[in-house]
Amino acid sequence: MTSPVEDLHTIRDLLRYAASRFAASPLYFGHGTDNVWDEAVQLVLRSVHLPLENNQIFLDARLTHAERKTIIERIERRIDERVPIAYLLGEGWFMGMPFNIDERVLVPRSPLGELLENGLQPWIGGTEVTRILDLCTGSGCIGIGAASVFDQAEVDLSDVSEDALAVAESNIELHGLEGRVRTVRSDVFESIEGRYDVILSNPPYVDAEDLADMPPEYHHEPALGLAAGNDGLDIAHRIIAGAADHLSEDGLLIVEVGNSWGAMDDAYPDLPLTWLEFENGGDGVFLITARDLREWQAENVKA
């Protein structure tokens, strides 16, 4: 039998082959796509640096032997090793922007992107946003996305992981934001100074049960970016405890806790959290104003 590398020649050939192989395999889609076809399109086209949209003129383009070999190898690794496509490509997408991605950081997929694309409205109102903190930043995609929307704001990307910050720094450079965006190594708020108009966070929030039940694809991601104790709230508790000291008077705290949102509601029944809804999917994101957080803390201290 001949190798697929020898039998398949065009982008159309490789797309059909990838889709067929993926459809016959027990893959889990949760790292940027949700179906066989989109997974095939992303792997094949981005392996040869072609756009994901408006690409019909390339479908019958013939690929070199080296290009075909690379694509076939990535298809097999996606199936055999269950590696997420972002790690195979070294690239992930967030808010329509590319980011350098490897196994030192999570693959971008937060619904916070939709919120940022809407300029944080109506929640931010007329507040001037001059400083933003992306807490537990990982690749830096959320903070860099925020910098692209609030183009006059200074943005700090904070993480406890030096490996993650190295990836974030590469993405600052990729997007030419060295003048406004910087990294800060900090264990939650431990090394954070000053106040911010917006604090955004997609911290580790996977509880012990969900972590044990995760599909193989997620085990390629750093456990430090996922695991957060029995109820998934180890980091969220620390964010709630420290955020008021780092928010401006009219500041906003926005945190993603995913499937741990029920545990969050149970843990803070009197905290006036607003749970956000998203048109493009995703849940488990809460918002609270600095004023409400401080009032709640004052009442709890009195109690």
Side-chain angles (χ1 to χ4, degrees), residues 105-166:
V105 296
L106 301 186
V107 176
R109 54 183 177 272
S110 174
L112 289 175
E114 180 181 321
L115 192 63
L116 287 169
E117 287 173 336
N118 293 327
L120 300 182
Q121 296 296 349
W123 314 106
I124 200 67
T127 299
E128 182 181 4
V129 178
T130 60
R131 291 193 81 206
I132 299 171
L133 173 64
D134 177 6
L135 195 64
C136 307
T137 191
S139 67
C141 63
I142 292 173
I144 290 170
S148 75
V149 174
F150 299 97
D151 57 12
Q152 301 301 311
E154 295 183 352
V155 181
D156 288 345
L157 311 179
S158 170
D159 206 289
V160 70
S161 167
E162 291 185 355
D163 283 343
L165 292 178

Side-chain angles (χ1 to χ4, degrees), residues 140-220:
C141 63
I142 292 173
I144 290 170
S148 75
V149 174
F150 299 97
D151 57 12
Q152 301 301 311
E154 295 183 352
V155 181
D156 288 345
L157 311 179
S158 170
D159 206 289
V160 70
S161 167
E162 291 185 355
D163 283 343
L165 292 178
V167 178
E169 287 169 3
S170 78
N171 285 315
I172 293 172
E173 183 177 356
L174 176 65
H175 292 281
L177 291 169
E178 295 92 336
R180 286 196 298 121
V181 182
R182 64 169 187 156
T183 61
V184 181
R185 186 168 187 267
S186 182
D187 185 358
V188 191
F189 290 112
E190 188 176 85
S191 301
I192 299 299
E193 298 179 355
R195 296 183 183 272
Y196 298 86
D197 303 303
V198 179
I199 297 177
L200 300 160
S201 186
N202 178 14
Y205 59 69
V206 180
D207 64 38
E209 182 178 354
D210 281 353
L211 192 68
D213 293 339
M214 277 187 161
E217 280 83 351
Y218 290 95
H219 293 289
H220 290 275

Side-chain angles (χ1 to χ4, degrees), residues 11-23:
I11 290 173
R12 192 186 301 272
D13 291 341
L14 269 298
L15 285 172
R16 198 285 306 159
Y17 179 78
S20 294
R21 294 283 286 122
F22 291 164

